[in-house]
């Protein structure tokens, strides 16, 4: 399963990403990816920052294109280029992608802006490394990818929002938090994206009632304001056993929702092709000087059969 955490800046999505990844890693294989411009996931997990994927785009493209005859060079490959016959497909433990081990999981990161990026580059060019990774990943049973996404509706600025089996939208019990929920739901509905809302930083019964009233059945669970989490964010020692019972139960509710989802490789393939064609027409054909529609391999079947 691939899981995204999205939400308004400051809603706690990075903290929840880290807690969920830790929780799942106690029973399954997990790769956590920091795809947020602020790059705080390593800090929250207490890990060293891994080598940034955003600085490896050409290397990643050369690695993934493999012997695919439809992709003659890395220069002709863009972030939305889907795999085809001859492409190098990935398993969860692929050693090519740099990571660090922490809390029983592997952490990867897009990396922050560099000095040469400032004023001239868009962060989505770095997140493209993660999109390529997810496009070529064949994840199997008992394997989870947890991605901390960019804040707000900025996730919709690329097709990466379609790469997940479940998207958790983290919402505080405020009007600002609910407004991001409504915006996200409006965008997601058009593309059959499964979104579940997680209330966060809930302190009172009124907070909980507010979220139930504003979000309705999309509200999956609520996590309460946690002194243990605040201590973790301040750099003090933390384990999952420090979490309050209600918050631990909330993490299990998230995992139950993920495990109830069905892997739909056919939809994944359709959306990969659709967004590749959208990007090709909008900018990528002009940028590469190639008609990128030709990179779509109609005979390629997404999923574990492709590994065989």
């Amino acid at each position: 399963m691939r899981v995204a955490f999205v939400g308004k800046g400051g809603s706690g999505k990075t903290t929840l990403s880290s807690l969920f990844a830790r929780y799942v890693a106690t029973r399954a294989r997990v790769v956590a990816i920091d795809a947020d411009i602020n790059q705080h996931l390593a800090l929250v997990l207490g890990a060293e920052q891994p080598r940034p994927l955003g600085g490896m785009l050409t290397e990643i493209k050369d690695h993934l294109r493999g012997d695919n005859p439809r992709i003659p060079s890395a220069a002709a490959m863009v972030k939305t280029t889907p795999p085809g016959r001859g492409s190098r497909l990935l398993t969860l433990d692929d050693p090519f992608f740099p990571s660090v081990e922490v809390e029983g999981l592997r952490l990867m990161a897009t990396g922050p802006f560099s000095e040469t990026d400032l004023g001239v580059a868009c962060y989505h060019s770095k997140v493209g490394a993660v999109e390529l990774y997810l496009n070529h990943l064949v994840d199997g049973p008992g394997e989870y990818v947890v991605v901390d996404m960019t804040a707000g509706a900025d996730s919709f600025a690329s097709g990466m929002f379609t790469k997940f089996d479940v998207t958790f939208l983290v919402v505080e019990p405020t009007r600002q938090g609910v407004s991001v929920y409504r915006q996200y739901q409006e965008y997601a509905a058009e593309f059959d994206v499964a979104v579940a809302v997680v209330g966060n930083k809930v302190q009172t019964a009124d907070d909980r009632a507010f979220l139930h009233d504003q979000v309705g059945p999309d509200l999956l669970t609520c996590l309460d304001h946690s002194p243990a989490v605040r201590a973790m964010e301040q750099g003090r020692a933390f384990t999952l056993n420090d979490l309050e019972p209600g918050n631990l139960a909330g993490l299990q509710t998230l995992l139950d929702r993920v495990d109830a989802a069905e892997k739909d490789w056919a939809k994944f393939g359709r959306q990969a092709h659709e967004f590749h064609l959208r990007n090709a027409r909008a900018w990528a054909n002009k940028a590469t000087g190639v008609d990128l529609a030709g990179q779509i391999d109609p005979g390629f079947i997404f999923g574990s059969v492709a590994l065989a």
Side-chain angles (χ1 to χ4, degrees):
M1 291 281 108
R2 297 120 179 261
V3 183
F5 280 83
V6 299
K8 183 180 72 68
S11 63
K13 67 178 182 58
T14 298
T15 299
L16 274 185
S17 299
S18 73
L19 291 174
F20 182 73
R22 279 177 161 126
Y23 187 78
V24 178
T26 62
R27 62 204 72 196
R29 299 172 64 205
V30 177
V31 168
I33 305 178
D34 193 341
D36 187 4
I37 190 171
N38 292 314
Q39 294 290 285
H40 288 158
L41 192 55
L43 180 67
V44 177
L45 285 170
E48 301 220 351
Q49 196 74 24
R51 180 187 174 191
L53 301 178
M56 298 175 54
L57 271 173
T58 299
E59 297 168 65
I60 289 171
K61 290 174 181 179
D62 268 327
H63 181 71
L64 295 179
R65 69 187 182 89
D67 298 321
N68 187 335
R70 295 172 178 269
I71 310 171
S73 68
M77 193 172 183
V78 295
K79 63 182 181 179
T80 57
T81 296
R85 285 169 290 186
S87 295
R88 183 174 279 110
L89 302 178
L90 306 173
T91 55
L92 203 68
D93 55 358
D94 192 294
F96 176 83
F97 288 81
S99 64
V100 295
E101 299 281 340
V102 58
E103 297 278 349
L105 56 88
R106 285 176 56 218
L107 172 66
M108 293 163 31
T110 56
F113 273 132
S114 66
E115 284 189 17
T116 56
D117 294 324
L118 296 176
V120 297
C122 170
Y123 193 68
H124 297 108
S125 63
K126 294 186 179 295
V127 176
V130 180
E131 189 166 351
L132 285 166
Y133 173 82
L134 294 174
N135 254 352
H136 291 76
L137 177 67
V138 182
D139 44 329
E143 297 179 339
Y144 298 79
V145 179
V146 179
V147 181
D148 180 20
M149 296 280 281
T150 52
D154 192 54
S155 303
F156 287 94
S158 77
M160 200 164 80
F161 73 94
T162 64
K163 307 300 178 190
F164 302 100
D165 300 294
V166 177
T167 296
F168 289 129
L169 177 58
V170 182
V171 175
E172 296 176 272
T174 64
R175 288 181 296 174
Q176 300 96 309
V178 169
S179 70
V180 172
Y181 153 72
R182 289 178 177 147
Q183 188 178 32
Y184 210 101
Q185 280 293 77
E186 180 183 348
Y187 294 157
E190 182 181 351
F191 299 103
D192 191 21
V193 173
V195 177
V197 175
V198 183
N200 195 32
K201 303 181 184 179
V202 171
Q203 298 190 52
T204 66
D206 285 343
D207 286 348
R208 202 173 293 267
F210 174 82
L211 286 171
H212 276 287
D213 180 60
Q214 297 294 318
V215 177
D218 287 338
L219 183 63
L220 177 65
T221 190
C222 290
L223 277 77
D224 295 330
H225 173 76
S226 167
V229 169
R230 176 55 58 87
M232 176 188 74
E233 293 175 332
Q234 292 173 347
R236 286 183 269 166
F238 171 85
T239 70
L240 285 173
N241 291 331
D242 296 323
L243 271 183
E244 302 77 10
N247 286 335
L248 275 174
L251 293 179
Q252 182 60 50
T253 299
L254 300 188
L255 181 56
D256 290 342
R257 172 66 180 83
V258 173
D259 287 344
E262 292 188 11
K263 196 75 171 180
D264 191 342
W265 283 112
K267 183 177 83 169
F268 180 85
R270 286 195 307 272
Q271 291 180 329
H273 290 169
E274 175 187 351
F275 277 89
H276 182 58
L277 292 174
R278 283 176 176 236
N279 279 265
R281 291 190 294 263
W283 62 272
N285 285 347
K286 183 177 180 180
T288 61
V290 178
D291 181 2
L292 297 181
Q295 293 181 344
I296 292 177
D297 181 353
F300 179 79
I301 301 173
F302 285 81
S304 57
V305 67
L307 285 176

